């Protein structure tokens, strides 16, 4: 029995708080709904109103909010993240350029570059 | 499919839910940026009222988001939504901060009540402001979990169900804790009044004097 009364009072305080937070200071309809009076709420209404007024929202400075965002966003600005941000055609073009460049270098090393280098090096080796 | 004619994908982050943003944020920093915009003020307010000053609030808010960003890849919504996860990070950092400082939790009302006293110059407001100050001093003496509940309810304006997820309790338990918190506040305030009337003010009133 006591538990159900407690639970009902929990609900009453909750409803009063919700109303106060919604700036509805006239709470008579809530008291009626729970079959209670202002006197029976034992000063809770006044305290809830004071709590609402005392806990006024605080604004962080714009400078702080922007600077923190910049720091956060800068943190994950690695190469992969940057590439991901590029349009698809630029990503594909960059991929082709990389592969073509790699193939060109490899081809030069394996064919022309290697044979001419070895021919130039031979006399030098013989002289020494 | 002609990928060369494809335009870069434009995502309207603001229209996405937290859940969708979290999924994107694992690989897309702009999605995390949107989550940051949604919660930075709430987290700042929470931390502000659990610490002593705006500087510590800024420092801890920054740490909350850096920690969230570095762990978001591992975050899985197992009944704890992103908002609750963020508040839990904030709660842990605030708890560590208090532990490191080894001092009691002080709600920084001195500062803003003083400000409101200055701005609301007429005398009729002075009494209200003094009453509020007394209330906040009393809150500062409550256990940490009760302070946390009041801040989540009155500052961040969260519903009991949301507070329950953050504090790992049922909605009913939150209602009951709130009831007990109001009773404790009322009793403490009444004791202070009795002390005043007997000309034997409580410790907090002596401090103020």
């Amino acid at each position: 029995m006591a538990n159900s009364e407690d639970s009902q009072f929990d609900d009453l305080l909750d409803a009063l708080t919700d109303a106060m937070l919604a700036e509805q200071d006239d709470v008579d309809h809530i008291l009626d709904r729970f079959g209670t009076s202002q006197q029976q709420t034992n000063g809770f209404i006044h305290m809830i109103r004071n709590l609402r007024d005392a806990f006024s929202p605080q604004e962080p400075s714009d400078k702080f909010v922007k600077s923190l965002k910049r720091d956060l966003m800068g943190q994950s600005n690695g190469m992969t993240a940057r590439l991901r941000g590029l349009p698809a055609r630029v990503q594909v073009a960059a991929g082709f350029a990389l592969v073509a460049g790699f193939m060109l270098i490899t081809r030069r090393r394996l064919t022309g570059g290697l044979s001419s280098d070895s021919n130039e090096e031979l006399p030098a080796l013989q002289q020494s | 499919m002609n990928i060369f004619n494809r335009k870069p994908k434009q995502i309207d982050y603001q229209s996405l839910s937290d859940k969708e943003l979290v999924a994107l944020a694992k690989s897309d920093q702009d999605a995390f940026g949107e989550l940051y915009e949604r919660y930075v003020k709430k987290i700042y307010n929470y931390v502000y009222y659990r610490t002593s000053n705006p500087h510590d609030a800024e420092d801890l808010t920054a740490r909350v988001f850096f920690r969230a960003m570095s762990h978001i890849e591992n975050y899985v919504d197992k009944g704890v939504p992103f908002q609750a996860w963020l508040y839990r990070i904030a709660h842990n950092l605030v708890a560590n901060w208090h532990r490191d400082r080894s001092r009691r939790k002080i709600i920084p009302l001195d500062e803003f009540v003083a400000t409101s006293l200055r701005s609301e110059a007429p005398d009729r407001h002075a009494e209200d402001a003094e009453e509020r100050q007394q209330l906040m001093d009393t809150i500062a003496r409550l256990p940490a979990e009760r302070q946390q509940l009041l801040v989540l309810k009155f500052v961040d304006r969260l519903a009991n169900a949301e507070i329950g997820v953050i504090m790992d309790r049922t909605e009913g338990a939150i209602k009951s804790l709130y009831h007990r918190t109001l009773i404790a506040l009322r009793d403490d305030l009444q004791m202070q009044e009795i002390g005043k009337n007997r000309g034997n003010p409580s410790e907090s009133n002596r401090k103020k004097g």
Side-chain angles (χ1 to χ4, degrees):
Chain A
M1 191 67 184
N3 276 346
S4 97
E5 277 175 22
D6 275 354
S7 164
Q8 201 181 1
F9 207 77
D10 291 349
D11 290 339
L12 168 65
L13 290 176
D14 204 44
L16 288 171
T17 306
D18 285 347
M20 300 273 187
L21 288 175
E23 306 289 335
Q24 295 165 2
D25 280 8
D26 181 12
V27 291
D28 287 347
H29 65 286
I30 295 171
L31 297 174
D32 288 345
R33 180 151 49 97
F34 284 88
T36 186
S37 65
Q38 291 244 6
Q39 215 171 8
Q40 284 174 296
T41 56
N42 250 347
F44 282 125
I45 294 177
H46 183 64
M47 198 159 61
I48 293 169
R49 192 176 288 131
N50 275 350
L51 280 167
R52 178 197 64 190
D53 295 344
F55 280 119
S56 62
Q58 299 294 305
E59 282 284 315
S61 71
D62 263 5
K63 189 181 164 192
F64 164 72
V65 173
K66 282 178 187 161
S67 134
L68 177 56
K69 187 170 184 183
R70 219 172 23 244
D71 292 347
L72 282 165
M73 298 297 103
Q75 194 191 39
S76 67
N77 241 354
M79 181 62 100
T80 323
R82 285 181 197 193
L83 277 174
R84 262 192 216 126
L86 292 172
R89 62 176 182 279
V90 178
Q91 286 186 36
V92 172
F96 274 131
L98 267 173
V99 172
F102 178 75
M103 283 172 70
L104 191 70
I105 291 168
T106 314
R107 190 167 173 267
R108 271 197 66 172
R109 284 205 175 168
L110 287 176
T111 56
L114 188 66
S115 58
S116 64
D117 282 353
S118 55
N119 289 342
E120 280 166 17
E121 279 172 14
L122 206 56
L125 285 170
Q126 282 168 350
Q127 277 174 13
S128 67
Chain B
M1 190 176 77
N2 186 356
I3 57 169
F4 289 95
N5 290 332
R6 197 168 63 182
K7 288 182 181 171
K9 210 166 32 171
Q10 294 289 328
I11 302 171
D12 180 12
Y13 293 105
Q14 288 181 347
S15 67
L16 298 179
S17 68
D18 281 7
K19 210 171 182 176
E20 291 166 324
L21 282 171
V22 167
L24 279 175
K26 292 175 195 276
S27 59
D28 178 353
Q29 61 173 347
D30 289 336
F32 189 85
E34 174 60 24
L35 287 167
Y36 168 81
E37 294 286 349
R38 280 184 196 181
Y39 290 107
V40 64
K41 287 182 183 176
K42 281 185 160 197
I43 294 296
Y44 175 85
N45 263 279
Y46 175 80
V47 176
Y48 177 86
Y49 278 103
R50 302 288 322 279
T51 58
S52 302
N53 61 68
H55 302 294
D56 288 321
E58 287 187 355
D59 180 39
L60 287 174
T61 303
R63 285 199 227 169
V64 169
F65 282 98
F66 273 109
R67 187 171 286 189
M69 191 165 188
S70 62
H71 287 87
I72 198 146
E73 282 190 31
N74 307 321
Y75 167 77
V76 183
D77 182 353
K78 290 179 183 164
V80 180
F82 178 74
Q83 175 182 247
W85 182 65
L86 214 50
Y87 274 107
R88 283 185 182 184
I89 294 175
H91 170 75
N92 290 337
L93 287 172
V94 168
N96 290 345
W97 181 86
H98 280 295
R99 199 187 53 214
D100 291 348
R101 299 216 165 192
S102 301
R103 64 178 164 90
R104 294 195 66 189
K105 292 119 193 120
I106 298 161
I107 292 178
L109 289 194
D110 309 60
E111 207 171 292
F112 89 68
V113 169
T115 311
S116 74
L117 263 172
R118 280 195 297 273
S119 57
E120 296 171 12
D123 290 343
R124 65 192 173 85
H125 291 301
E127 202 177 321
D128 287 348
E130 193 184 339
E131 196 179 349
R132 254 179 270 159
Q133 177 65 68
Q134 190 184 7
L135 176 65
M136 299 317 284
D137 288 343
T138 311
I139 290 169
R141 289 195 293 273
L142 287 173
E145 64 167 10
R146 293 185 178 192
Q147 290 187 41
Q148 185 187 15
L149 168 61
L150 291 178
V151 173
L152 291 172
K153 195 176 256 299
F154 284 93
V155 182
D156 293 317
R157 309 261 168 125
L158 299 182
N160 288 327
E162 292 173 307
I163 298 174
V165 176
I166 294 166
M167 294 180 71
D168 204 16
R169 287 166 183 245
T170 63
E171 196 176 343
I174 293 297
K175 277 185 188 177
S176 175
L177 180 65
Y178 179 55
H179 185 172
R180 293 200 303 276
T181 302
L182 291 184
I183 290 172
L185 277 176
R186 186 194 61 190
D187 292 350
D188 196 342
L189 289 166
Q190 279 175 354
M191 289 301 287
Q192 289 176 45
E193 280 304 307
I194 291 167
K196 257 191 211 173
N197 293 338
R198 283 183 184 163
N200 179 24
S202 69
E203 196 182 332
S204 70
N205 289 331
R206 281 201 300 273
K207 269 186 209 166
K208 275 201 298 183

